[in-house]
Amino acid sequence: MEFGKVIKERYSVRKYKPDMIKDDELNRVLEAGMLAPTGCNYQPQRIYVLKSDEAIAKIRSLTRCAFDAPVVLLIALDETADRKSPLEEGCRAGIQDVSIAADHMMLAAWDIGIGSCWVNYFKPSEVKAAFALPENETAVLLMTLGYPADDAKPMKLHCESRDMTEIVRIL
């Protein structure tokens, strides 16, 4: 699909078919996350693919926003692997890097007919404990993945945008 069409048509899918994503398609999505630019190419994102019955049941018990997706990505930040700015204490690129990787995966998924939804409605500490993430990793987001149900549609607010003059400032 043409890139402009991908970014215009993609929406957060909250209703999925029960069909499991094909392995080659899932790998294409994951590869997009690995190709995403990160600070100094440190690649601090850690992507956990939740698709076993046990893992899906566990994540559904921790958030109401798993939307019955057949696959959920648990995307974490390795706090020891992100770029730390030498110019200012506490200035780090990790959250941005993880977010860029997640965005790449969402767009790559849509390009091949897979829906997704970026989920922040969960307690990171509970997810970390439930999936025994290493001490140096923090759960940043969940991403549901699957083929959109035939009656899936964007939420009403999806098609609304602020005027560009409210968002963009040219200096």
Side-chain angles (χ1 to χ4, degrees):
M1 188 181 306
E2 191 264 320
F3 184 69
K5 187 173 182 180
V6 170
I7 60 175
K8 285 180 182 174
E9 292 183 2
R10 191 229 157 252
Y11 65 91
S12 294
V13 175
R14 292 176 174 84
K15 191 171 185 185
Y16 296 93
K17 293 178 180 177
D19 309 343
M20 183 54 71
I21 297 170
K22 297 175 187 133
D23 287 341
D24 64 316
E25 292 176 330
L26 179 58
N27 286 337
R28 285 175 63 184
V29 171
L30 296 170
E31 182 180 26
M34 295 177 65
L35 293 173
T38 60
C40 294
N41 200 29
Y42 286 0
Q43 302 175 16
Q45 67 271 26
R46 301 296 178 258
I47 304 165
Y48 296 89
V49 180
L50 311 179
K51 67 178 194 173
S52 70
D53 290 341
E54 178 188 355
I56 291 295
K58 191 182 295 186
I59 200 62
R60 288 179 182 165
S61 75
L62 297 171
T63 180
R64 66 180 181 168
C65 296
F67 306 118
D68 292 327
V71 175
V72 177
L73 302 181
L74 162 52
I75 307 173
L77 165 63
D78 180 343
E79 303 273 354
T80 65
D82 70 335
R83 182 184 179 280
K84 289 122 183 112
S85 173
L87 303 177
E88 189 168 333
E89 183 70 26
C91 185
R92 304 173 69 161
I95 298 293
Q96 294 94 325
D97 290 342
V98 169
S99 297
I100 293 166
D103 189 60
H104 271 55
M105 290 188 288
M106 286 174 35
L107 295 173
W110 191 259
D111 187 46
I112 58 174
I114 296 171
S116 64
C117 188
W118 183 303
V119 174
N120 287 110
Y121 193 83
F122 66 95
K123 293 181 180 177
S125 59
E126 288 181 359
V127 168
K128 179 178 182 136
F131 290 96
L133 298 187
E135 183 61 34
N136 58 301
E137 292 183 16
T138 301
V140 175
L141 69 121
L142 303 172
M143 183 181 298
T144 59
L145 289 175
Y147 304 111
D150 292 335
D151 59 345
K153 60 184 180 224
M155 294 181 76
K156 290 179 186 177
L157 291 176
H158 173 76
C159 296
E160 294 181 19
S161 289
R162 293 178 184 264
D163 188 79
M164 191 177 293
T165 60
E166 293 182 56
I167 298 171
V168 177
R169 303 290 185 265
I170 297 175
L171 305 177

